[in-house]
Amino acid sequence: MKLNERGLLIVLSGPSGVGKGTVRKALFEMEGHDLVYSTSMTTRPPREGEVDGVDYYFVSKEEFEDRIKNDAFLEWAQFVGHYYGTPRDKVEEQLKLGKEVVLEIEVQGALQVREKTSDAVFVFIAPPNKESLYRRLLRRGTEANEVIQKRMDKAQREFPLAHKYDYIVVNDEVTNAADRIMAIIRAEHAKTERSIHKYNQLLEVLEDE
Ligand code: 5GP
């Protein structure tokens, strides 16, 4: 029966430097879930240790632009000089298989998904304060000061957009944030509109007995 049910699309988003990637990894390390991560495509060069096909699919600007023309992305955005996008076919394939698909994307992309889909769950990951955001971007140590400043400016503009999301999770502590997201996913499954058909099936069986 599970195979016929469409999976849940979960969009984790928020400003760069908020720790989305770390929280997402902690979420996937938790036991007893059926989550699938949607690997994004980007034109940003790989950072040290990043693996093609795992962290991102790293492609050229030309290849990315071709895919935009072919409508191959569920969403895409330009972020600090590079393209980032979610390959549509993979997400669709997994959702059809009944999987829970997690996107970890920046705010503009999340808002595009919001416009296109009616049943995804949107979680805004917020920093406990502005200083922690700055410290995290500095600590990453992979970007020039100018890029860090651009990321900070963008983050400032993105905070007010949190109200467009279904949930806000403050990343005060990574494991707490991951726990809260897992609780949200479980609660979403129990929502009446998602589970009423199962309940109706149960009622039918009980009535037949
Ligand atoms: P980074 O360069 O630090 O890996 O990512 C920069 C920003 O792009 C982060 O906020 C990250 O979540 C976001 N991002 C990663 N993949 C995607 C994607 O497929 N679409 C969009 N819109 N943003 C993405």
Side-chain angles (χ1 to χ4, degrees):
M1 189 177 78
K2 175 93 174 134
L3 281 183
N4 296 328
E5 280 169 26
R6 199 171 157 79
L8 186 63
L9 181 62
I10 302 139
V11 181
L12 304 182
S13 182
S16 170
V18 84
K20 295 192 288 295
T22 320
V23 171
R24 186 253 304 166
K25 281 177 190 145
L27 185 70
F28 275 79
E29 276 163 16
M30 291 172 76
E31 286 179 5
H33 67 74
D34 198 13
L35 304 173
V36 173
Y37 176 57
S38 158
T39 304
S40 294
M41 198 165 275
T42 186
T43 58
R44 161 171 86 55
R47 295 190 184 119
E48 208 183 315
E50 283 185 333
V51 177
D52 187 33
V54 176
D55 299 284
Y56 283 104
Y57 296 105
F58 296 99
V59 297
S60 68
K61 190 163 172 261
E62 292 68 33
E63 185 172 345
F64 199 103
E65 287 174 346
D66 268 356
R67 285 173 189 260
I68 295 176
K69 277 190 213 128
N70 294 330
D71 199 23
F73 292 112
L74 174 62
E75 60 72 38
W76 63 272
Q78 272 188 304
F79 183 86
V80 195
H82 296 291
Y83 285 120
Y84 295 82
T86 303
R88 183 198 297 282
D89 52 354
K90 294 216 167 61
V91 171
E92 204 35 53
E93 194 181 293
Q94 296 296 328
L95 288 175
K96 277 194 189 138
L97 288 172
K99 302 279 185 195
E100 326 276 29
V101 181
V102 176
L103 308 188
E104 179 219 311
I105 60 179
E106 55 72 65
V107 173
Q108 295 311 315
L111 298 182
Q112 286 174 45
V113 181
R114 170 119 253 178
E115 277 171 23
K116 286 184 194 165
T117 57
S118 55
D119 62 351
V121 181
F122 293 82
V123 181
F124 187 91
I125 304 181
N129 49 51
K130 194 173 145 190
E131 288 68 38
S132 70
L133 194 69
Y134 189 61
R135 271 203 309 275
R136 190 183 283 274
L137 285 173
L138 272 185
R139 210 179 323 133
R140 202 190 264 162
T142 51
E143 264 108 14
N145 281 348
E146 191 199 343
V147 175
I148 291 176
Q149 195 50 51
K150 277 191 189 154
R151 286 183 181 238
M152 278 303 287
D153 293 345
K154 199 161 169 33
Q156 297 265 88
R157 292 196 300 277
E158 287 172 346
F159 288 138
L161 296 170
H163 75 274
K164 292 184 183 271
Y165 288 69
D166 300 311
Y167 298 92
I168 298 177
V169 167
V170 175
N171 183 19
D172 46 4
E173 224 266 279
V174 174
T175 49
N176 288 344
D179 278 348
R180 280 180 220 132
I181 294 169
M182 194 56 92
I184 290 168
I185 295 172
R186 295 203 169 116
E188 283 291 327
H189 272 290
K191 263 197 170 163
T192 306
E193 71 224 42
R194 289 209 173 88
S195 52
I196 193 73
H197 63 286
K198 281 190 208 154
Y199 178 70
N200 286 339
Q201 278 170 357
L202 176 68
L203 275 186
E204 276 167 29
V205 172
L206 290 175
E207 277 164 13
D208 286 348
E209 274 171 7

